[in-house]
Amino acid sequence: MSEVKLTAETRTEFGKGAARRVRRAGKVPGVLYGHGSDPIHLTLPGHELLLALRTSNVLIALDIDGKTNELAIPKSVQRDPIKGFLEHVDLQLVKRGEQVNVEIYVQTEGELAPGAYLLEHVLNALPVVAEATHIPESVTVSIAGLAAGDSILAKDITLPKGTTLDVDGETVVLQVLAAQAEESAGEEGAGDEAAEA
């Protein structure tokens, strides 16, 4: 997994006004917590943080005030709903060798069996437990040859070494549906249009 180094500063001003000033300066307010220690309020570089968060489950090496070095993973990211810029980030403190609970994206490869089928992602991300410095970005599942009624359970997915499921093995992750319902809805719609005409 990727490890990104960021320089952070501790923050002593709080509230909406202070947060706006931080954002105007091109930075992002954040909180670092974990391991039973008091939360540390931080100011992080906006552009560098935005780039780092493009990688799923990125490991962030924080240089805090040039005095402390900590490792963290993003746990909650708040974005402006319209403009999409970062408003706030919660970071969880981790240690090398520590096991952490995260979610990894489920990607698919291959083609379904010939026919009108729909692939439903029941889970877009799979809850797992992984070593903090070796969190996989994603897991790839083959859907080759699957037909309606077939499904892939959590226990069927091969996980990278050192990663274990954090969900019941019988949980459905992917399932294949027949596309007839969609087609019949389309036919009904066509009938309605004909009646209106």
Side-chain angles (χ1 to χ4, degrees):
M1 70 176 296
S2 302
E3 182 174 321
V4 176
K5 294 182 180 180
L6 293 180
T7 301
E9 301 165 354
T10 50
R11 160 169 77 93
T12 53
E13 290 187 308
F14 308 102
K16 290 183 179 179
R20 276 196 288 268
R21 284 193 293 277
V22 167
R23 291 188 204 104
R24 272 199 300 270
K27 298 183 178 181
V28 179
V31 177
L32 174 66
Y33 63 89
H35 293 168
S37 58
D38 291 335
I40 303 171
H41 296 271
L42 301 172
T43 299
L44 299 142
H47 182 66
E48 290 90 337
L49 180 61
L50 185 64
L51 293 177
L53 292 175
R54 287 182 179 174
T55 302
S56 171
N57 292 319
V58 64
L59 183 67
I60 299 175
L62 291 170
D63 177 357
I64 304 172
D65 295 331
K67 300 173 186 174
T68 312
N69 293 299
E70 301 285 6
L71 289 175
I73 55 174
K75 290 305 282 185
S76 174
V77 179
Q78 295 173 22
R79 297 176 186 269
D80 180 274
I82 297 169
K83 297 181 180 176
F85 61 77
L86 297 174
E87 291 191 326
H88 190 274
V89 63
D90 287 356
L91 301 171
Q92 180 183 334
L93 193 63
V94 296
K95 301 288 184 190
R96 294 188 190 279
E98 177 185 1
Q99 299 289 309
V100 292
N101 300 74
V102 293
E103 292 187 344
I104 57 174
Y105 290 113
V106 178
Q107 298 180 334
T108 59
E109 63 180 8
E111 298 290 329
L112 295 175
Y117 302 128
L118 296 172
L119 179 66
E120 180 185 11
H121 286 254
V122 180
L123 290 181
N124 286 317
L126 187 65
V128 298
V129 177
E131 200 267 307
T133 56
H134 293 90
I135 300 173
E137 290 180 26
S138 62
V139 63
T140 303
V141 179
S142 173
I143 58 168
L146 296 183
D150 291 338
S151 60
I152 293 177
L153 306 179
K155 67 180 182 182
D156 300 329
I157 298 175
T158 303
L159 297 172
K161 186 179 178 183
T163 303
T164 57
L165 286 176
D166 192 29
V167 67
D168 189 304
E170 299 297 321
T171 302
V172 176
V173 179
L174 300 165
Q175 63 184 5
V176 183
L177 308 172
Q180 294 170 347
E182 193 174 270
E183 289 171 7
S184 61
E187 287 166 10
E188 287 172 15
D192 293 341
E193 287 172 15
E196 286 174 12

